[in-house]
Amino acid sequence: DFERLDAQIAQSARATPGFVGVRMWHSPDGLVRNAVYTWEHLDNLQDFSRSAAHLQGKSEYRRWYHGKQIVVCGGAHPRGGG
């Protein structure tokens, strides 16, 4: 159930105009998950936040998480280093 909805959320994010990318991380024991989605503009993120998959995930997150944290950043431009 979680994996299906998580895949739908990722697909919806990728289909949103302005989508730049996603970085995912799971702890070795699989208990901690992190997904960082990036869009070109805050408006693009707001469009995604109204998607059916996101709204379903938001309404059901207590089934899978003891808590969640959402961080919205603006003006960040990750750069590679050496």
Side-chain angles (χ1 to χ4, degrees), residues 6-27:
D6 191 44
Q8 289 175 345
I9 290 169
Q11 181 180 17
S12 179
R14 287 180 175 92
T16 303
F19 175 79
V20 174
V22 61
R23 290 179 285 151
M24 295 189 171
W25 173 86
H26 301 140
S27 64

Side-chain angles (χ1 to χ4, degrees), residues 33-76:
R33 302 174 82 126
N34 184 29
V36 178
Y37 291 88
T38 308
W39 284 269
E40 292 176 354
H41 304 284
L42 183 57
D43 291 345
N44 303 132
L45 169 59
Q46 290 169 337
D47 290 342
F48 165 74
S49 73
R50 293 185 288 270
S51 72
H54 172 74
L55 292 173
Q56 181 182 357
K58 187 176 174 181
S59 72
E60 296 184 25
Y61 81 90
R62 286 192 176 106
R63 290 178 58 191
W64 300 294
Y65 301 112
H66 295 289
K68 71 175 182 176
Q69 178 182 23
I70 297 174
V71 178
V72 177
C73 300

